[in-house]
Amino acid sequence: MAFIVFEGLDGAGKSSLIQLLANDLTRSSMQHIITREPGGTALGEELRTILLRTDGEAPVARAELLLYQAIRAQHVENKIKPALKMGSWVICDRYTASSIAFQAGGRGISENDIKSLNDFSTDHLQPQLFVLLDLPVEESLKRIQKRVDGGQNKDRFEQEEKDFHERIRTSYLKQSKEDANLWLVLDARKSSEDMYKELKSKLIEKKWLKS
Ligand code: TYD
């Protein structure tokens, strides 16, 4: 059993990589859940809609942060802890590191305030591994644009300017350097299959997966 979080800029390819891991776990009959933030619970999904919509009153930065934290508290208590207790793997698309990258790096809120709130909302529950899919900002913006051309609308974050995304990337890289044992950094310009090979080696090294 393991608690693994995937992080990165929008369009980095988290979903495809998560799917490859889940397929492998299914093949090995290892119990797992895939979950995400913002979201993960019924209440969390409702709050997600409020957070990402582009019409209506936008939350100010501090309100935005607190909404993410409310979603997280609900998610940890009602979904992540129960799954871990059952011995299941938890694969989570975004977690505490997103708040530091987006709300501190992106919005300029104090990192220490966010760290305290993260500790509070998670009841100090840390994942065993953060996987960062690192992508140059130009490439992330290109991929977001492709989705938009394919008919999907940009959410509030995807509408932000390039500098905002640069600060987010810088924050992720800083977090991964500060706690190198907790992070695996992958080059998200590579294919999902190539990234998965690197991830799998790491999981085997940690003895969470058999080769
Ligand atoms: P989502 O569509 O899930 O993005 P992605 O598919 O790229 O993960 O939207 C979630 C957005 O919310 C994403 O742009 C990152 C942002 N976010 C924060 O700003 N703070 C947070 O704490 C979390 C969890 C997400």
Side-chain angles (χ1 to χ4, degrees):
M1 143 196 135
F3 176 15
I4 302 180
V5 172
F6 291 79
E7 295 276 0
L9 289 174
D10 294 322
K14 290 182 276 107
S15 312
S16 312
L17 187 58
I18 286 173
Q19 206 46 60
L20 289 176
L21 171 59
N23 293 347
D24 220 356
L25 294 175
T26 303
R27 269 195 298 275
S28 316
S29 307
M30 295 174 96
Q31 204 185 334
H32 60 277
I33 62 160
I34 300 175
T35 189
R36 69 168 179 184
E37 287 191 8
T41 64
L43 178 63
E45 292 293 333
E46 283 186 63
L47 291 171
R48 175 190 169 90
T49 309
I50 294 175
L51 265 170
L52 297 181
R53 70 183 176 194
T54 46
D55 54 344
E57 184 183 0
V60 298
R62 277 174 287 127
E64 177 185 86
L65 169 63
L66 292 171
L67 283 166
Y68 280 113
Q69 297 295 347
I71 292 171
R72 185 162 298 136
Q74 193 76 9
H75 190 207
V76 165
E77 224 42 55
N78 283 359
K79 195 157 185 187
I80 300 179
K81 278 187 187 173
L84 292 173
K85 222 179 228 169
M86 304 254 301
S88 170
W89 282 54
V90 173
I91 303 169
C92 190
D93 186 340
R94 301 193 181 283
Y95 194 59
T96 47
S98 278
S99 291
I100 295 174
F102 283 76
Q103 276 67 55
R107 303 270 190 237
I109 295 178
S110 129
E111 208 175 292
N112 282 338
D113 284 348
I114 297 177
K115 283 184 177 160
S116 309
L117 286 168
N118 277 341
D119 285 345
F120 181 71
S121 64
T122 60
D123 197 17
H124 299 269
L125 180 68
Q126 279 249 43
Q128 286 145 293
L129 183 68
F130 278 108
V131 181
L132 173 59
L133 282 71
D134 180 50
L135 193 64
V137 171
E138 297 77 36
E139 184 58 30
S140 156
L141 295 177
K142 256 193 232 158
R143 292 184 188 183
I144 293 170
Q145 192 56 44
K146 246 193 214 158
R147 285 206 296 227
V148 173
D149 294 341
Q152 274 179 283
N153 294 327
K154 286 186 187 177
D155 66 31
R156 273 192 321 105
F157 287 92
E158 291 169 347
Q159 291 180 348
E160 290 284 344
E161 82 286 16
K162 183 161 177 273
D163 189 51
F164 177 84
H165 297 280
E166 288 289 359
R167 295 197 303 272
I168 290 167
R169 183 181 186 210
T170 304
S171 167
Y172 271 134
L173 290 171
K174 180 169 156 256
Q175 293 182 64
S176 68
K177 285 202 184 88
E178 277 171 2
D179 212 344
N181 286 332
L182 193 61
W183 287 78
L184 171 68
V185 181
L186 300 174
D187 180 349
R189 288 170 301 184
K190 293 185 181 169
S191 69
S192 307
E193 288 73 21
D194 284 347
M195 285 196 281
Y196 186 60
K197 271 185 209 150
E198 283 181 53
L199 173 58
K200 190 164 181 178
S201 311
K202 184 63 152 187
L203 300 179
I204 291 169
E205 179 194 309
K206 287 187 174 291
K207 302 201 180 347
W208 297 342
L209 275 188
K210 289 195 186 109
S211 49

